[in-house]
Amino acid sequence: MNSNPHPNRDVASAVLPVQGAHIPALGFGTYGMNGPHLRNVLVAALGHGFRHIDTAQMYGNEAEVGAAIRDAGVSRSEIFITTKVWVANYGAAQFAPSVDQSLRKLKTDYIDLLLVHWPRGGAPIAAQIEGLNRAVEQGKARHIGVSNYNAEMLRTAVKMSPRHLVTNQVEYHPFLDQTALLRQIAASDASLMAYCGMAVGRVFGSEILRDIAAKHERSVAQVVLRWLIQQPRVVALSRTEKIERIAGNAAVFDFALSEAEMAAITALRAPDSRIVDPGHLAPAWD
């Protein structure tokens, strides 16, 4: 059952419409979490109004995500599930069976948003896009997108795909300049789904972010999440393993940052700030 009698209705209702998809503007990421604790965290997140859950085949936790959705007592139709096909499953013989396995683990008939996880390390982009489109044709996915693509790869993929690619899930935080990719996102009429927004804790050491947070009587995490979702075409993935922080992370729709504050946070970007960069999987970044 819903663990919170007073869920945050703002986080439940705030969506970014992209090419027919209505992507919840604030999602809950599950990377690095497994087992009963993940189930408890997700039940709490759904109780506080989160309706977008991000997982992946590689995370090894799709079964726990499916169990948590059932435990939470929230209608499946209200929940937006994003999962990602792992690179080893990009081949024509593996792609569809891997999606079937994800569906079984998630205990659902469809995936709201199916992504390919990394551009390299598996099959060429054309095969990745073919697999995604086939998943929609077969009724296994409602919307499709990519993850960790650079701007040129996204441009190429959009041209190849008969169906709209509604997002590119990538690392994005105040220290990482994603200007080139955001420009291509806009040109492709897509969205940027931001992970690693807290820069593995680096944001908490920023005096500028602490000052802005104090002015608004908010946490640094709330300010960063607000900075992300206040940008056009950006969806943010919140992530915490501490249940007591979930309510605060959801409460980012009842305040706004000024243009000057947005600019000050954007100005924090600096060279060599990328955190997630596996050489055998990652592209040549913008």
Side-chain angles (χ1 to χ4, degrees), residues 85-98 121-124 127-128 130-131 134:
V85 177
W86 185 238
V87 296
N89 296 324
Y90 287 174
Q94 294 83 29
F95 202 106
S98 81
Q128 298 174 39
E130 182 179 351
R134 190 177 301 114

Side-chain angles (χ1 to χ4, degrees), residues 1 3 11 15 53-54 58 61 64 66 93 101 107 116 119 121 124 157 175 197 204 208 222 248 250 265 272:
M1 295 297 294
S3 64
V11 69
V15 298
I53 301 175
D54 176 78
M58 187 274 285
N61 62 16
E64 286 98 331
Q101 187 175 46
K107 294 289 195 297
V116 285
F175 309 108
F204 303 112
I208 288 174
Q222 287 173 312
I265 297 171
D272 302 318

Side-chain angles (χ1 to χ4, degrees), residues 59-270:
Y59 296 174
N61 62 16
E62 289 175 316
E64 286 98 331
V65 169
I69 290 172
R70 295 194 304 277
D71 292 347
V74 178
S75 170
R76 171 66 183 92
S77 63
E78 295 180 22
I79 298 174
F80 191 97
I81 299 175
T82 297
T83 195
K84 299 177 278 293
V85 177
W86 185 238
V87 296
N89 296 324
Y90 287 174
Q94 294 83 29
F95 202 106
S98 81
V99 176
D100 290 338
Q101 187 175 46
S102 291
L103 289 168
R104 286 193 296 271
K105 289 180 177 179
L106 290 163
K107 294 289 195 297
T108 184
D109 296 329
Y110 63 94
I111 294 161
D112 296 276
L113 178 56
L114 184 67
L115 313 179
V116 285
H117 207 144
W118 288 93
R120 298 176 59 223
I125 288 177
Q128 298 174 39
I129 299 306
E130 182 179 351
L132 289 171
N133 277 272
R134 190 177 301 114
V136 178
E137 292 168 7
Q138 295 171 343
K140 299 173 184 179
R142 292 190 170 178
H143 306 285
I144 55 175
V146 298
S147 183
N148 297 302
Y149 272 41
N150 64 21
E152 182 57 37
M153 286 175 167
L154 179 61
R155 185 182 302 112
T156 298
V158 166
K159 290 179 180 178
M160 288 180 173
S161 183
R163 290 173 177 80
H164 295 301
L165 301 177
V166 301
T167 203
N168 184 11
Q169 184 181 122
V170 294
E171 176 183 344
Y172 188 31
H173 48 74
F175 309 108
L176 184 61
D177 185 358
Q178 288 285 27
T179 303
L181 183 57
L182 283 165
R183 189 178 302 118
Q184 184 57 47
I185 290 284
S188 301
D189 197 9
S191 65
L192 185 153
M193 189 176 293
Y195 70 78
C196 206
M198 301 303 134
V200 196
R202 183 178 171 187
V203 295
F204 303 112
S206 166
E207 184 175 351
I208 288 174
L209 288 170
R210 289 200 303 265
D211 287 347
I212 294 173
K215 178 182 175 182
H216 288 273
E217 298 183 336
R218 301 284 173 153
S219 69
V220 168
Q222 287 173 312
V223 166
V224 172
L225 290 171
R226 181 69 210 181
W227 172 77
L228 287 167
I229 64 172
Q230 199 168 309
Q231 297 176 59
R233 298 184 176 275
V234 175
V235 171
L237 295 177
S238 166
R239 181 194 176 281
T240 183
E241 296 189 36
K242 297 184 177 181
I243 290 175
E244 62 270 21
R245 292 182 178 173
I246 292 173
N249 287 354
V252 295
F253 296 95
D254 58 348
F255 77 104
L257 300 171
S258 68
E259 288 186 16
E261 289 168 335
M262 290 290 292
I265 297 171
T266 300
L268 292 173
R269 58 194 184 194

